[in-house]
Amino acid sequence: QVQLVESGGGLVQAGGSLRLSCAASGRTFSSYDMGWFRQTPGKEREFVAAISWTGGTSYADSVKGRFTISRDNTKKTVYLRMNSLKPEDTAVYYCAASRDSRWLETDYWGQGTQVTVSS
């Protein structure tokens, strides 16, 4: 069993930065691929970034070059550094854990943290 708790969301002006954190419980954190997803009202949850248990990363085209995902297995935490934020980045951001590197199935979700970017 893995529990995920996000933090670090908030209100920021366009062009600003935020760092989201996702703290995980459980002894098998290092064996999971970890990801960030986001959702706005009326839209489906969308992929933002992922980091494999070996450290490989992938990003949505919309955030490539602006967001950086990283993990610290000793702290059981995954981070999402978000730079050059745009109003369209406004969403609830969710942390997720999966044993499927293709992310066809997600094993655990966090409760989400709100990010609001003002223009």
Side-chain angles (χ1 to χ4, degrees), residues 75-93:
K75 296 182 179 180
K76 296 182 182 178
T77 301
V78 62
Y79 304 97
L80 185 68
R81 178 67 181 182
M82 305 185 293
N83 295 328
S84 302
L85 282 161
K86 305 175 181 179
E88 52 264 42
D89 294 317
T90 295
V92 177
Y93 283 71

Side-chain angles (χ1 to χ4, degrees), residues 11-17 66 82-90 116-119:
L11 173 64
V12 64
Q13 287 189 331
S17 299
R66 300 188 297 122
M82 305 185 293
N83 295 328
S84 302
L85 282 161
K86 305 175 181 179
E88 52 264 42
D89 294 317
T90 295
T116 303
V117 184
S118 63
S119 57

Side-chain angles (χ1 to χ4, degrees), residues 43-92:
K43 293 188 177 181
E44 291 195 359
R45 195 170 295 186
E46 65 173 5
F47 168 78
V48 175
I51 184 166
S52 72
W53 66 276
T54 59
T57 59
S58 59
Y59 297 92
D61 288 342
S62 59
V63 307
K64 206 169 289 184
R66 300 188 297 122
F67 290 12
T68 303
I69 189 171
S70 61
R71 67 190 297 165
D72 185 336
N73 288 338
T74 63
K75 296 182 179 180
K76 296 182 182 178
T77 301
V78 62
Y79 304 97
L80 185 68
R81 178 67 181 182
M82 305 185 293
N83 295 328
S84 302
L85 282 161
K86 305 175 181 179
E88 52 264 42
D89 294 317
T90 295
V92 177

